Amino acid sequence: MKTNSETGHSKNVANFKDLVNLVSSYGADYNPARASLKIPNLNTIATNAQTSLTSVSVKNTQYNNAVNNRFIAFENLKKLSTRLVNALAVTDAPKQMVDDAKGFNRKLQGQRASAVVKQVNENDPAPVTISASQQSYDLRIQHFRNLITVLESEESYNPNENELKIETLTAKQSELLERNNDVSIAHAIIRNARNARNKTLYEDSNGLVDIALEIKKYVKSAYGANSIEFKQVNAIKFRNIAE
């Protein structure tokens, strides 16, 4: 689903094309002195604007795909973590080591060792506490790595199940790191694409919206405020969209 701002960007570009087509239909009568308002430059702006919209759309899809792939990679991490603790518990590992593993598992599950302080009144300020769940992807990767380190330190930990073996877990951690980094990269790319689009559409003086407003001013001066031509161009709306 497109957001209102995304729809607004597309509408601005579509309206600009309509505006350019309209003033182009005036033929030689449309003859501004400023080069930025001449038809060739307007066509270039329209093309660049459409290219910027397409770029954002493509890169947004790539970002969503990266997020989905990360979700899939992390999806069964909580269940796997619990299995690993249970597998360690049936080895010769001392209780303290099992407790350490349980601690990392608890963090992966997003649980506290102690109860969360509840607010009595919703208007009272929230108590100053450390983040409850520690569920950021970076932290989950770190907790999983710490759990693997505990397992590696116990000589008697040697499960027959492939998915519980140290080499499999190490590969899993690498996958988590890669999927998380993919999202970070994709986020930077889509952010840059949006910045480039916003510059094309909304830059002061040279952006699509400002140029559209200048076109209207020129038509008003050339044809008159009460002319059909000005009424036509003035009916085409544009708006700056802050993001």
Side-chain angles (χ1 to χ4, degrees):
M1 179 182 294
K2 289 185 177 181
T3 64
N4 289 334
S5 60
E6 288 172 337
T7 302
H9 299 312
S10 298
K11 188 64 176 176
N12 279 335
V13 174
N15 285 355
F16 189 79
K17 291 177 183 177
D18 289 342
L19 180 61
V20 174
N21 290 336
L22 184 58
V23 297
S24 295
S25 72
Y26 299 158
D29 287 342
Y30 179 81
N31 189 28
R34 280 178 54 186
S36 61
L37 300 184
K38 293 183 181 297
I39 299 300
N41 188 60
L42 301 184
N43 286 331
T44 297
I45 292 174
T47 298
N48 291 342
Q50 184 59 57
T51 299
S52 72
L53 289 184
T54 301
S55 176
V56 169
S57 179
V58 170
K59 290 174 173 60
N60 190 64
T61 297
Q62 293 170 347
Y63 172 75
N64 288 337
N65 289 341
V67 170
N68 291 338
N69 290 336
R70 181 177 66 177
F71 175 82
I72 293 170
F74 278 80
E75 190 171 14
N76 294 319
L77 191 61
K78 290 182 178 181
K79 291 181 180 179
L80 175 60
S81 173
T82 299
R83 290 182 64 193
L84 294 174
V85 172
N86 292 333
L88 180 65
V90 296
T91 67
D92 297 330
K95 179 181 181 300
Q96 292 83 351
M97 182 181 291
V98 175
D99 287 342
D100 288 343
K102 287 180 178 179
F104 293 125
N105 179 45
R106 183 172 58 249
K107 291 176 180 179
L108 281 163
Q109 303 299 328
Q111 299 171 356
R112 280 181 176 270
S114 58
V116 177
V117 177
K118 293 184 178 180
Q119 291 179 245
V120 177
N121 189 320
E122 64 180 7
N123 296 318
D124 292 338
V128 180
T129 58
I130 298 174
S131 177
S133 65
Q134 300 187 62
Q135 286 293 280
S136 80
Y137 287 100
D138 289 333
L139 282 175
R140 276 187 264 181
I141 292 171
Q142 184 59 50
H143 296 326
F144 188 62
R145 175 64 255 179
N146 289 339
L147 179 55
I148 295 173
T149 300
V150 172
L151 301 177
E152 287 177 322
S153 69
E154 175 51 49
E155 293 183 359
S156 65
Y157 181 82
N158 187 29
N160 293 319
E161 295 77 15
N162 287 330
E163 63 271 24
L164 304 183
K165 293 181 180 294
I166 295 298
E167 55 267 29
T168 304
L169 300 177
T170 301
K172 178 66 176 178
Q173 189 214 8
S174 296
E175 180 193 11
L176 299 179
L177 282 167
E178 185 176 354
R179 295 289 83 82
N180 195 42
N181 192 52
D182 287 345
V183 172
S184 178
I185 292 172
H187 181 266
I189 291 173
I190 183 60
R191 181 178 57 197
N192 290 336
R194 286 171 176 159
N195 288 340
R197 176 203 59 200
N198 291 345
K199 181 178 181 181
T200 300
L201 270 61
Y202 307 114
E203 184 179 35
D204 289 344
S205 300
N206 297 317
L208 177 148
V209 170
D210 276 11
I211 291 295
L213 298 179
E214 291 301 305
I215 292 172
K216 291 185 179 185
K217 291 179 182 177
Y218 166 73
V219 172
K220 185 177 183 180
S221 67
Y223 294 89
N226 295 320
S227 65
I228 294 176
E229 288 81 3
F230 177 65
K231 289 179 181 179
Q232 288 175 325
V233 299
N234 199 42
I236 302 176
K237 302 302 180 183
F238 298 89
R239 64 188 182 96
N240 279 296
I241 303 172
E243 284 193 354

